[in-house]
Amino acid sequence: RTGEDPAVLAVSYRLCGTPQLRLRLAKFWLTMKATRYPDITLPEAICFSLLEARQIEFVFQQDYNSGKTYRGGAVIDFWIPTQALVIRVQGTYWHAQPERRQLDEIQRSELLRSSIEGKRVQAVVDLWESKLLSCMRAEAVNAALQGQELGQ
């Protein structure tokens, strides 16, 4: 498509969907990075967009156990307080490493024994980058909101 920003086009080629949807998601991510969340990843931005479209109340980048300030702390990608649900957006390269998987499982167990904003965590769901970049993104987010994972 002529006249489109080359950065937007480059990002859109990583996504599945109609050209209009791919361009919209790419623009959304680049705008979020430039204006609100400089460290947001493309998969996180896609999840953010889908949760907003469904009018789901959520907190993005919720500190848990003092965030990354202290050992054992974390920043949770999405906290859905109405469901006491944690959604962790997992990058395929980093989180598929055996050592990282072990740490992720330890964190999952800790989260399931904890409370956030006074609410006991009911579920921790991993939402994988590969699903969010694919044409299964809406199905993957819907499953996550029901406490189900679709795997890598």
Side-chain angles (χ1 to χ4, degrees):
R1 185 170 155 181
T2 59
E4 201 60 67
D5 180 340
V8 171
L9 285 174
V11 170
S12 75
Y13 293 136
R14 295 182 57 200
L15 303 169
C16 178
T18 65
Q20 295 82 10
L21 175 61
R22 293 186 352 243
L23 289 170
R24 184 180 63 74
L25 289 171
K27 287 177 185 176
F28 179 78
W29 176 53
L30 292 169
T31 300
M32 292 289 279
K33 282 186 78 62
T35 61
R36 292 177 65 190
Y37 301 106
D39 295 328
I40 193 169
T41 66
L42 177 57
E44 289 169 343
I46 291 169
C47 185
F48 193 110
S49 173
L50 290 169
L51 292 173
E52 276 192 334
R54 287 167 177 73
Q55 298 180 332
I56 303 291
E57 178 189 339
F58 66 91
V59 178
F60 178 63
Q61 301 289 290
Q62 170 71 49
D63 279 351
Y64 161 72
N65 200 15
S66 299
K68 293 184 179 179
T69 307
Y70 297 102
R71 185 171 175 79
V75 176
I76 296 164
D77 296 317
F78 295 92
W79 167 241
I80 317 289
T82 56
Q83 295 174 249
L85 170 68
V86 169
I87 297 177
R88 303 185 301 181
V89 176
Q90 305 290 43
T92 306
Y93 173 78
W94 177 251
H95 290 277
Q97 306 276 338
E99 324 72 58
R100 187 66 229 177
R101 279 183 171 237
Q102 185 178 18
L103 292 172
D104 286 340
E105 285 309 311
I106 291 167
Q107 183 188 64
R108 177 191 302 269
S109 295
E110 290 174 358
L111 283 165
L112 287 168
R113 291 190 309 268
S114 67
S115 296
I116 299 173
E117 297 180 334
K119 288 192 171 193
R120 180 85 173 172
V121 174
Q122 297 298 308
V124 178
V125 176
D126 289 338
L127 191 51
W128 289 89
E129 166 188 38
S130 57
K131 296 291 189 257
L132 289 166
L133 298 180
S134 79
C135 284
M136 290 183 60
R137 67 182 61 90
E139 180 182 351
V141 170
N142 286 338
L145 288 169
Q146 294 173 27
Q148 302 169 0
E149 293 182 11
L150 297 184
Q152 289 183 317

